[in-house]
Amino acid sequence: MTDQTYDDMWVAPDEDPRESDSPPMGERDNYAAYLRHRRQTLELKCDGLTPEQMAQRSVPPSSMSLLGLVRHLAEVERGWWRRTLAGEEADRLWGPPRADADFNNVVGDQAAVDDAWAAWREEVAYAEAWLAAHDDMGEVIDAGHHGELNVRDVVVHLIEEYAQHLGHADLLRECIDGSTGQ
């Protein structure tokens, strides 16, 4: 047997933490698995980078960086799960909406990176617990200015949000160190 390399992949298929031997059963578990896969992909795309690399911006005048994406996705999770679905009063993490607060003022130091990941992980844990407690994907929620939505709408939107930003993360990571992958 010859050694096989995977130059175009982040990890070898048999070492990929996103893969599971037990396929999800049912609508909620299937959506949750897709969302978990996207979340794990974000972590993979940022793995092994220094704080300076995490804060590296794409191209001027854009403020996009991997650190900004982590902060943004923490805020997206917080907004949809806590504010919209749970109806909680939850302050914004990095500043007012529509001011690119998630992306602005990112700095390449370890404390800033640790804070962003801690916030993201806290919001993901909250989301996973909320979804695990709600079986009905068709449950209708009064989502304020979004109108009435069901849980399915929100989960599919989050999968879409991650997919879009993972494309950005691909390009950012490639600019940083040439890494590309699945």
Side-chain angles (χ1 to χ4, degrees):
M1 177 179 242
T2 61
D3 285 336
Q4 185 172 8
T5 61
Y6 299 93
D7 294 334
D8 63 338
M9 302 174 103
W10 295 100
V11 293
D14 59 342
E15 296 173 13
D16 194 332
R18 300 168 299 176
E19 299 304 321
S20 171
D21 291 334
S22 55
M25 301 302 288
E27 182 184 23
R28 182 194 60 187
D29 292 344
N30 193 35
Y31 287 140
Y34 274 104
L35 189 52
R36 184 173 40 259
H37 186 277
R38 300 304 175 277
R39 289 169 174 152
Q40 290 173 322
T41 301
L42 175 68
E43 290 181 292
L44 281 173
K45 290 182 185 301
C46 296
D47 187 49
L49 296 177
T50 67
E52 294 80 13
Q53 290 171 316
M54 287 288 295
Q56 184 176 320
R57 307 226 176 200
S58 57
V59 292
S62 175
S63 60
M64 188 174 293
S65 66
L66 287 168
L67 180 54
L69 284 176
V70 172
R71 288 170 41 147
H72 175 67
L73 290 166
E75 185 60 55
V76 166
E77 296 266 6
R78 184 178 184 85
W80 283 106
W81 297 102
R82 291 187 193 266
R83 292 187 203 103
T84 302
L85 291 175
E88 291 182 10
E89 293 290 326
D91 291 335
R92 292 189 54 86
L93 296 167
W94 288 282
R98 305 201 199 305
D100 278 341
D102 307 340
F103 293 97
N104 290 332
N105 303 315
V106 297
V107 293
D109 67 59
Q110 193 62 53
V113 172
D114 291 346
D115 287 346
W117 281 118
W120 181 79
R121 287 188 177 101
E122 181 178 336
E123 298 308 322
V124 166
Y126 181 94
E128 289 174 341
W130 192 98
L131 187 58
H134 291 80
D135 290 328
D136 184 5
M137 295 298 289
E139 179 183 349
V140 176
I141 306 290
D142 177 6
H145 71 276
H146 294 291
E148 286 189 342
L149 298 172
N150 61 44
V151 175
R152 180 183 307 105
D153 293 331
V154 173
V155 176
V156 169
H157 172 72
L158 285 164
I159 293 167
E160 174 188 55
E161 181 89 14
Y162 271 90
Q164 174 187 7
H165 290 309
L166 290 173
H168 299 136
D170 279 337
L171 296 172
L172 287 162
R173 181 66 189 251
E174 187 174 5
C175 287
I176 291 168
D177 66 3
S179 294
T180 61
Q182 74 263 33

